[in-house]
Amino acid sequence: MSHYFENDKNLKSELRELSYKYNSSFFTFNSDNGVFSKNKIDFGSKLLLETYLADELNNKKVLDVGCGYGLLGIVISVVTNSYVDMVDVNKRAVHLTNMNIKKYKDFKGSAFISDAYENVSDLYDVIITNPPIRVGKSKVLEILEGSFDHMTDDGVLYFVIRKDQGALSIKKILESTKTVDIINKDKGYFIFRVKKSM
Ligand SMILES: C[S@@+](CC[C@H](N)C(=O)[O-])C[C@H]1O[C@@H](n2cnc3c(N)ncnc32)[C@H](O)[C@@H]1O
Protein backbone atom coordinates (compact mmCIF):
# COMPACT_ATOMS: atom_id res chain seq x y z
CA MET A 1 0.00 0.00 0.00
CA SER A 2 1.38 3.43 -0.81
CA HIS A 3 1.08 6.27 1.66
CA TYR A 4 0.28 9.85 0.76
CA PHE A 5 3.79 10.98 1.65
CA GLU A 6 5.54 8.64 -0.77
CA ASN A 7 6.46 9.42 -4.35
CA ASP A 8 4.70 6.84 -6.50
CA LYS A 9 5.01 7.50 -10.23
CA ASN A 10 2.71 4.56 -11.02
CA LEU A 11 -0.20 5.94 -9.05
CA LYS A 12 -2.87 6.86 -11.56
CA SER A 13 -3.84 10.52 -11.66
CA GLU A 14 -7.54 11.24 -11.09
CA LEU A 15 -7.83 14.97 -10.55
CA ARG A 16 -10.73 16.23 -8.47
CA GLU A 17 -11.67 19.64 -7.09
CA LEU A 18 -12.23 20.56 -3.45
CA SER A 19 -13.77 23.84 -2.37
CA TYR A 20 -13.32 26.02 0.69
CA LYS A 21 -14.94 29.28 1.79
CA TYR A 22 -13.54 31.76 4.31
CA ASN A 23 -15.78 34.77 4.97
CA SER A 24 -16.39 36.18 1.49
CA SER A 25 -13.39 34.44 -0.12
CA PHE A 26 -14.08 31.29 -2.12
CA PHE A 27 -11.27 28.87 -2.99
CA THR A 28 -11.00 25.73 -5.09
CA PHE A 29 -8.13 23.23 -4.97
CA ASN A 30 -7.14 20.53 -7.40
CA SER A 31 -6.49 17.33 -5.51
CA ASP A 32 -5.44 13.87 -6.68
CA ASN A 33 -4.64 10.30 -5.69
CA GLY A 34 -1.51 10.05 -3.58
CA VAL A 35 -1.95 13.22 -1.53
CA PHE A 36 -3.19 13.70 2.01
CA SER A 37 -6.95 14.01 2.46
CA LYS A 38 -7.47 13.91 -1.30
CA ASN A 39 -11.30 13.91 -1.24
CA LYS A 40 -12.13 16.25 1.57
CA ILE A 41 -10.47 19.10 3.43
CA ASP A 42 -9.10 17.61 6.63
CA PHE A 43 -10.85 18.76 9.82
CA GLY A 44 -7.52 19.37 11.62
CA SER A 45 -6.15 21.44 8.72
CA LYS A 46 -9.31 23.57 8.66
CA LEU A 47 -9.17 24.09 12.44
CA LEU A 48 -5.49 25.07 12.24
CA LEU A 49 -6.13 27.44 9.34
CA GLU A 50 -9.10 29.18 10.93
CA THR A 51 -7.38 29.44 14.32
CA TYR A 52 -4.37 31.01 12.60
CA LEU A 53 -6.55 33.43 10.61
CA ALA A 54 -8.29 34.50 13.83
CA ASP A 55 -4.88 35.75 15.08
CA GLU A 56 -5.01 38.33 12.25
CA LEU A 57 -1.33 38.20 11.36
CA ASN A 58 -1.15 40.26 8.17
CA ASN A 59 1.78 40.91 5.82
CA LYS A 60 3.96 38.14 7.24
CA LYS A 61 6.51 35.86 5.64
CA VAL A 62 5.19 32.35 6.21
CA LEU A 63 6.43 28.79 5.56
CA ASP A 64 3.95 25.89 5.29
CA VAL A 65 5.80 22.59 5.89
CA GLY A 66 4.10 19.54 4.36
CA CYS A 67 1.79 21.63 2.19
CA GLY A 68 -0.15 18.82 0.49
CA TYR A 69 -2.20 20.42 -2.33
CA GLY A 70 -1.64 23.88 -0.82
CA LEU A 71 -4.71 24.63 1.30
CA LEU A 72 -3.01 26.36 4.27
CA GLY A 73 -0.45 28.40 2.38
CA ILE A 74 -2.71 29.59 -0.43
CA VAL A 75 -5.54 30.69 1.87
CA ILE A 76 -3.11 32.40 4.28
CA SER A 77 -1.40 34.31 1.49
CA VAL A 78 -4.64 35.53 -0.07
CA VAL A 79 -6.52 36.33 3.16
CA THR A 80 -3.65 37.90 5.14
CA ASN A 81 -1.73 39.47 2.24
CA SER A 82 1.32 37.43 3.23
CA TYR A 83 4.25 35.96 1.30
CA VAL A 84 4.04 32.17 1.70
CA ASP A 85 6.49 29.46 0.71
CA MET A 86 5.20 25.88 0.76
CA VAL A 87 7.25 22.70 0.85
CA ASP A 88 6.47 19.00 0.66
CA VAL A 89 8.52 15.88 0.06
CA ASN A 90 5.76 14.52 -2.19
CA LYS A 91 6.28 15.60 -5.81
CA ARG A 92 2.63 15.24 -6.71
CA ALA A 93 1.64 17.45 -3.78
CA VAL A 94 4.04 20.19 -4.90
CA HIS A 95 2.80 19.84 -8.50
CA LEU A 96 -0.82 20.26 -7.33
CA THR A 97 0.13 23.21 -5.13
CA ASN A 98 1.77 24.89 -8.13
CA MET A 99 -1.39 24.29 -10.20
CA ASN A 100 -3.50 25.73 -7.38
CA ILE A 101 -1.27 28.79 -6.87
CA LYS A 102 -1.92 29.81 -10.49
CA LYS A 103 -5.63 30.27 -9.76
CA TYR A 104 -5.01 33.15 -7.34
CA LYS A 105 -3.58 36.36 -8.70
CA ASP A 106 -3.28 37.69 -5.14
CA PHE A 107 -1.09 34.77 -4.03
CA LYS A 108 2.50 35.70 -3.22
CA GLY A 109 5.14 33.01 -2.64
CA SER A 110 6.29 29.69 -4.06
CA ALA A 111 6.08 25.90 -3.67
CA PHE A 112 9.03 23.53 -3.86
CA ILE A 113 10.12 20.04 -2.94
CA SER A 114 11.90 19.64 0.37
CA ASP A 115 12.33 16.92 2.95
CA ALA A 116 11.56 18.99 6.04
CA TYR A 117 13.94 22.02 5.76
CA GLU A 118 16.49 20.42 3.41
CA ASN A 119 15.90 22.98 0.62
CA VAL A 120 14.75 25.88 2.80
CA SER A 121 17.21 28.76 3.10
CA ASP A 122 15.11 31.82 4.07
CA LEU A 123 13.97 32.92 7.53
CA TYR A 124 10.23 33.24 8.23
CA ASP A 125 7.99 35.13 10.67
CA VAL A 126 5.66 32.15 10.89
CA ILE A 127 6.02 28.42 10.27
CA ILE A 128 2.78 26.48 10.05
CA THR A 129 2.32 22.74 9.70
CA ASN A 130 -0.13 19.90 9.89
CA PRO A 131 2.78 17.49 10.31
CA PRO A 132 3.04 14.02 8.74
CA ILE A 133 2.21 11.96 11.81
CA ARG A 134 2.18 8.71 9.82
CA VAL A 135 5.81 9.16 8.85
CA GLY A 136 6.78 8.85 12.51
CA LYS A 137 7.54 10.87 15.58
CA SER A 138 11.19 11.57 14.75
CA LYS A 139 10.27 13.30 11.45
CA VAL A 140 7.48 15.22 13.20
CA LEU A 141 9.97 16.41 15.83
CA GLU A 142 12.51 17.27 13.12
CA ILE A 143 9.84 19.53 11.54
CA LEU A 144 8.63 21.07 14.81
CA GLU A 145 11.95 21.53 16.65
CA GLY A 146 13.77 22.41 13.42
CA SER A 147 11.31 25.25 12.74
CA PHE A 148 13.08 27.59 15.18
CA ASP A 149 16.26 27.52 13.05
CA HIS A 150 14.25 28.84 10.08
CA MET A 151 12.53 31.74 11.84
CA THR A 152 13.28 35.32 12.68
CA ASP A 153 13.92 35.95 16.40
CA ASP A 154 10.27 36.86 16.98
CA GLY A 155 9.05 33.95 14.84
CA VAL A 156 6.09 31.74 15.79
CA LEU A 157 5.25 28.09 15.08
CA TYR A 158 1.63 26.96 14.62
CA PHE A 159 0.70 23.28 14.33
CA VAL A 160 -2.10 20.78 14.81
CA ILE A 161 -1.95 17.28 16.28
CA ARG A 162 -4.72 15.01 17.48
CA LYS A 163 -4.78 13.98 21.10
CA ASP A 164 -4.78 10.29 20.15
CA GLN A 165 -1.79 10.88 17.87
CA GLY A 166 0.44 11.96 20.74
CA ALA A 167 -0.32 15.69 20.96
CA LEU A 168 0.46 15.89 24.66
CA SER A 169 3.68 13.90 24.51
CA ILE A 170 4.93 16.17 21.68
CA LYS A 171 3.92 19.19 23.78
CA LYS A 172 5.97 17.89 26.68
CA ILE A 173 9.06 17.42 24.51
CA LEU A 174 8.82 20.97 23.10
CA GLU A 175 8.29 22.32 26.61
CA SER A 176 11.82 21.37 27.57
CA THR A 177 12.97 24.51 25.71
CA LYS A 178 9.86 26.59 24.84
CA THR A 179 6.54 27.81 26.19
CA VAL A 180 3.86 25.88 24.32
CA ASP A 181 0.31 27.26 24.21
CA ILE A 182 -2.77 25.28 23.25
CA ILE A 183 -4.83 27.98 21.53
CA ASN A 184 -7.77 25.88 20.32
CA LYS A 185 -9.22 22.38 20.69
CA ASP A 186 -12.03 20.65 18.87
CA LYS A 187 -13.03 16.99 18.33
CA GLY A 188 -9.72 15.77 19.79
CA TYR A 189 -7.56 18.08 17.63
CA PHE A 190 -5.24 20.47 19.47
CA ILE A 191 -3.89 23.66 17.92
CA PHE A 192 -0.52 24.73 19.31
CA ARG A 193 1.34 28.03 19.15
CA VAL A 194 5.01 28.23 20.14
CA LYS A 195 7.09 31.42 20.14
CA LYS A 196 10.77 31.09 19.31
CA SER A 197 11.77 33.55 22.04
CA MET A 198 10.08 33.68 25.45
C1 LIG B 1 -1.02 15.79 7.36
S1 LIG B 1 -0.49 16.18 5.74
C2 LIG B 1 -0.92 17.91 5.62
C3 LIG B 1 -1.12 18.38 4.19
C4 LIG B 1 -1.66 19.82 4.04
N1 LIG B 1 -0.83 20.78 4.74
C5 LIG B 1 -3.09 19.90 4.52
O1 LIG B 1 -3.27 20.48 5.59
O2 LIG B 1 -3.98 19.40 3.83
C6 LIG B 1 1.26 16.17 5.92
C7 LIG B 1 2.06 16.47 4.65
O3 LIG B 1 3.46 16.34 4.96
C8 LIG B 1 4.10 15.80 3.83
N2 LIG B 1 5.37 15.19 4.25
C9 LIG B 1 5.63 13.93 4.67
N3 LIG B 1 6.91 13.78 4.96
C10 LIG B 1 7.51 14.97 4.74
C11 LIG B 1 8.84 15.44 4.84
N4 LIG B 1 9.81 14.63 5.24
N5 LIG B 1 9.10 16.71 4.52
C12 LIG B 1 8.11 17.53 4.09
N6 LIG B 1 6.81 17.14 3.96
C13 LIG B 1 6.52 15.89 4.29
C14 LIG B 1 3.10 14.82 3.25
O4 LIG B 1 3.40 14.54 1.91
C15 LIG B 1 1.79 15.57 3.47
O5 LIG B 1 1.47 16.35 2.36
Side-chain angles (χ1 to χ4, degrees):
M1 201 188 116
S2 77
H3 286 288
Y4 64 80
F5 50 84
E6 287 170 351
N7 285 311
D8 183 352
K9 282 193 228 107
N10 300 319
L11 193 62
K12 202 173 149 218
S13 172
E14 291 173 318
L15 277 179
R16 64 213 72 191
E17 195 174 78
L18 309 182
S19 52
Y20 175 72
K21 191 170 180 295
Y22 183 77
N23 292 338
S24 57
S25 303
F26 188 73
F27 298 86
T28 59
F29 295 93
N30 290 326
S31 176
D32 203 345
N33 294 335
V35 299
F36 172 75
S37 209
K38 63 181 180 182
N39 289 323
K40 187 168 163 268
I41 288 175
D42 175 66
F43 181 83
S45 301
K46 187 168 178 286
L47 188 67
L48 173 62
L49 177 59
E50 293 176 4
T51 305
Y52 176 81
L53 294 175
D55 269 0
E56 295 188 358
L57 302 173
N58 295 315
N59 308 306
K60 298 290 178 195
K61 184 164 173 180
V62 180
L63 177 68
D64 172 4
V65 182
C67 61
Y69 51 78
L71 167 79
L72 302 177
I74 290 174
V75 175
I76 288 171
S77 176
V78 172
V79 172
T80 70
N81 191 34
S82 292
Y83 180 96
V84 185
D85 285 332
M86 293 179 269
V87 296
D88 203 295
V89 77
N90 178 327
K91 286 184 188 151
R92 187 170 283 186
V94 173
H95 176 70
L96 287 166
T97 295
N98 277 314
M99 282 171 82
N100 289 325
I101 282 173
K102 293 199 180 84
K103 300 185 197 182
Y104 301 97
K105 65 172 179 15
D106 293 339
F107 174 86
K108 295 191 295 285
S110 72
F112 51 95
I113 290 168
S114 184
D115 176 348
Y117 302 99
E118 200 175 26
N119 299 328
V120 172
S121 51
D122 283 4
L123 290 180
Y124 296 87
D125 303 311
V126 173
I127 296 187
I128 190 163
T129 183
N130 179 353
I133 296 290
R134 288 192 208 183
V135 181
K137 195 168 175 178
S138 71
K139 185 57 75 175
V140 171
L141 284 173
E142 182 185 329
I143 291 173
L144 300 179
E145 296 183 310
S147 68
F148 305 112
D149 295 332
H150 298 275
M151 280 179 194
T152 53
D153 287 343
D154 55 359
V156 191
L157 168 70
Y158 286 78
F159 66 98
V160 59
I161 301 191
R162 250 167 51 194
K163 191 173 181 190
D164 63 3
Q165 290 181 326
L168 298 178
S169 94
I170 299 261
K171 177 174 187 273
K172 213 167 182 177
I173 293 168
L174 296 177
E175 276 174 341
S176 64
T177 54
K178 305 280 176 219
T179 302
V180 181
D181 294 316
I182 294 175
I183 55 167
N184 204 358
K185 283 184 205 178
D186 197 2
K187 295 189 180 151
Y189 289 84
F190 286 46
I191 308 299
F192 296 95
R193 183 175 59 203
V194 188
K195 293 186 177 149
K196 176 170 174 172
S197 315
M198 304 267 190

